[in-house]
Amino acid sequence: MSVAVVTLFTVLLTAPQRDEISEFYLGNRDMSPLRNGLAMCGDYLSAATLLGSTGIVALTGYDGLLYLGGTVVAWMMALFMIAEPLRNSGKFTLGDNLALRLSQGQRSVRLALVLCTLVVCLLYLVAQLVGSIALLAQFIGTPSGTVRTMCVVVIGSMVVVYAAIGGMPGATVIQVVKAVMLVVGVGVTAILVLHHFSWNIDKLLSTAAGNSDLGDRFLGPGLRYGGTTTNKLDFFSLQLAIVLGLAALPHIMMRLLAPRTTRVLRGSVVWAVGLIGFVCLMAGVLGLGATAIVGRGEIAGVDPKGDAAVLLLGYELGGPILTALLSSLAFVTLLGVAGGLTLAGASSIAHDLYGEVIRKGKATQAEEVIVARLAAAAIGVMGMMLALLSWGTSTATLAFLAFAIAASAILPTIVYSLFWRRFTARGALLSLYGGLACSVLLVVFSPIVSSSPNSIYPDTDFAWFPLQNPGIVSIPAGFLLGWLGSVLSKPQEPQVFEEFEVRALVGADER
């Protein structure tokens, strides 16, 4: 709680002092590549990386390590494909990129993008708030309805303050603090684990396999995603959604627009890749260490999903003090991601929906900032209500659905707009609405909602789609619909793409 209070006051001190949309949306654009890289790392890594990923490694060994590998590959995807052309051609939001590329029909495209952005941000925000209750449950057991409500309201209110008052400057401070704490926290704990096993990796692996009650199966593939063809397809679908979806999350995309120059962006992304890779590597050590020191059976007994693994490991290595430090780290991580998501959703509403669609570019900067602050409050309240209704739903399920929608709707539109000359506004609309609808429908008719003991409605069965993640179908569908809509519509004037291409390659004037 002390960490939360300190970060809250820091956000208030660094909040924008003027009603300038560039400062509210993009923050201090003179930061060094290291600070930008820390902020990107903070935006990218959520509490699921610290708690969920280490838990998956602790329970499933090799398959959990593969899951962590997907997190790193996802950022490489953003680095090599879209970071630089997106920053060069962008302004404040993703809607500005699409409006420049698809000048005819830009208002309808902005509207579709706002809808997809809100759905993705709300789902991921709800996952963070539900995760905060799960974190609380590690200390007090299953919380009552009143305690759950108080927890969500307090944390949700802090998130609203971060986004509505702090804007991008406040969010950046939180992300930098969070990234430093995350790197130091997982690094020190991993060193304690390795020191416990005399820096002998083979001893760590063999002890983990021995305490898993699974023997060598723990260090081989197939424990989580093997066995049946459906499980293997589900694993591929999940990895596809993680790799492509993480790179297309709105708050990640918005962060790529912040660096003032391309040189700073390149340096920032390199720092971010190194930091994210380090954290994921250390998270793997923590997961294996938890199995080796605590034991797989005890971890699964406390939490079948494994989210308590790193906290149980902290207690064994450093007692209540290290457990408290790791808990505060998870809490700040959760707050940072939730604040970034709320800001991305609010910016999309204020700039794309209000400023460009409703006011047709005639809104003043003060108006946009006021609308952004009100939108942040509205998104926060909506997120709190949905989080209370979603109690009992797996946070990973909500997060993976958000990834699948981002990869199925937003990513095809961004990739086509940056690299395909023939892409049109109709293609963008089909890709955005079609990718969103396909993802949601497949999840509604999947085992997540019905037919299995862990479903939302376990006593009914309308799950004709056998996989838990829709990515393997919805992502190709998003790209296919974008292509189909474009070839069936009238091409744009050639000079529109040529001017856009030049700007994406060499950059724009200072925004």
Side-chain angles (χ1 to χ4, degrees):
M1 184 55 71
S2 301
V3 174
V5 172
V6 170
T7 54
L8 189 60
F9 276 106
T10 306
V11 167
L12 295 177
L13 289 174
T14 57
Q17 303 299 313
R18 298 162 295 182
D19 288 335
E20 290 186 2
I21 57 175
S22 61
E23 186 180 7
F24 188 86
Y25 293 146
L26 302 179
N28 176 12
R29 306 186 62 218
D30 293 323
M31 292 196 304
S32 66
L34 174 57
R35 288 189 64 192
N36 262 315
L38 283 167
M40 288 179 181
C41 174
D43 265 322
Y44 193 68
L45 294 174
S46 68
T49 307
L50 179 63
L51 300 179
S53 299
T54 51
I56 292 175
V57 174
L59 296 181
T60 64
Y62 180 89
D63 282 1
L65 294 173
L66 277 182
Y67 173 85
L68 274 175
T71 304
V72 180
V73 173
W75 186 250
M76 301 295 284
M77 166 88 182
L79 167 66
F80 289 118
M81 284 197 64
I82 57 178
E84 194 168 320
L86 189 74
R87 181 264 158 209
N88 288 342
S89 60
K91 194 175 181 183
F92 300 128
T93 65
L94 287 179
D96 291 331
N97 292 69
L98 295 181
L100 183 68
R101 172 68 177 81
L102 308 168
S103 52
Q104 295 178 344
Q106 61 158 301
R107 292 176 65 200
S108 55
V109 173
R110 280 187 191 266
L111 189 59
L113 185 61
V114 169
L115 178 63
C116 293
T117 300
L118 283 180
V119 172
V120 172
C121 288
L122 268 175
L123 279 172
Y124 209 18
L125 175 62
V126 170
Q128 303 303 312
L129 294 177
V130 172
S132 71
I133 307 175
L135 185 60
L136 181 68
Q138 305 300 329
F139 298 96
I140 65 171
T142 303
S144 65
T146 305
V147 173
R148 287 203 302 268
T149 304
M150 288 180 61
C151 176
V152 168
V153 170
V154 170
I155 295 175
S157 301
M158 293 177 67
V159 170
V160 169
V161 171
Y162 288 160
I165 298 178
M168 183 60 94
T172 300
V173 170
I174 294 297
Q175 301 301 359
V176 170
V177 171
K178 162 192 158 182
V180 171
M181 289 180 64
L182 198 57
V183 169
V184 174
V186 298
V188 170
T189 310
I191 287 173
L192 292 176
V193 171
L194 294 173
H195 181 71
H196 185 85
F197 291 97
S198 306
W199 298 88
N200 187 329
I201 301 296
D202 289 340
K203 188 178 178 182
L204 168 63
L205 293 172
S206 60
T207 308
N211 283 350
S212 69
D213 299 327
L214 296 167
D216 291 339
R217 288 182 58 210
F218 185 75
L219 302 178
L223 199 58
R224 181 182 176 91
Y225 299 108
T228 66
T229 303
T230 301
N231 283 345
K232 292 175 182 176
L233 284 175
D234 219 353
F235 172 66
F236 181 72
S237 183
L238 174 65
Q239 288 294 318
L240 199 62
I242 292 175
V243 169
L244 299 179
L246 271 173
L249 289 175
H251 66 300
I252 303 291
M253 292 273 191
M254 195 169 168
R255 178 68 63 184
L256 295 176
L257 299 175
R260 188 180 295 277
T261 65
T262 305
R263 183 186 61 80
V264 174
L265 173 68
R266 290 172 186 157
S268 305
V269 172
V270 170
W271 271 109
V273 168
L275 293 168
I276 291 167
F278 175 80
V279 171
C280 289
L281 181 62
M282 295 300 103
V285 173
L286 297 189
L288 294 171
T291 308
I293 296 173
V294 180
R296 185 175 180 271
E298 185 174 343
I299 293 170
V302 174
D303 183 351
K305 300 189 298 294
D307 288 351
V310 71
L311 301 180
L312 294 171
L313 174 66
Y315 188 82
E316 291 292 332
L317 291 174
I321 295 178
L322 186 56
T323 305
L325 290 175
L326 289 172
S327 300
S328 65
L329 178 58
F331 188 69
V332 172
T333 302
L334 186 147
L335 281 177
V337 172
L341 289 163
T342 307
L343 179 64
S347 301
S348 186
I349 290 177
H351 186 66
D352 294 321
L353 180 61
Y354 178 78
E356 299 297 332
V357 175
I358 297 176
R359 297 277 285 130
K360 301 179 181 178
K362 297 176 182 175
T364 64
Q365 296 197 33
E367 278 181 74
E368 271 201 31
V369 172
I370 290 172
V371 173
R373 296 186 197 281
L374 293 174
I379 292 171
V381 172
M382 197 178 300
M384 289 182 231
M385 295 171 62
L386 291 174
L388 290 172
L389 293 174
S390 304
W391 169 245
T393 305
S394 167
T395 56
T397 298
L398 294 168
F400 294 155
L401 177 57
F403 297 167
I405 294 174
S408 307
I410 297 177
L411 187 68
T413 308
I414 295 298
V415 170
Y416 278 146
S417 68
L418 290 176
F419 303 111
W420 189 27
R421 179 185 297 269
R422 184 68 174 77
F423 192 50
T424 65
R426 181 179 294 179
L429 291 174
L430 272 181
S431 178
L432 288 166
Y433 286 128
L436 173 63
C438 185
S439 306
V440 173
L441 285 175
L442 290 179
V443 168
V444 168
F445 295 106
S446 75
I448 291 175
V449 177
S450 68
S451 81
S452 78
N454 296 323
S455 301
I456 298 174
Y457 301 106
D459 298 328
T460 57
D461 185 3
F462 49 88
W464 54 262
F465 183 69
L467 307 182
Q468 298 204 15
N469 193 288
I472 195 171
V473 175
S474 61
I475 295 172
F479 277 97
L480 181 63
L481 288 169
W483 170 81
L484 187 64
S486 298
V487 297
L488 293 179
S489 56
K490 182 181 177 183
Q492 281 194 318
E493 295 293 329
Q495 64 268 25
V496 174
F497 180 77
E498 289 167 2
E499 292 174 1
F500 177 86
E501 190 175 36
V502 170
R503 179 164 169 166
L505 289 174
V506 304
D509 294 333
E510 188 172 303
R511 291 160 288 177

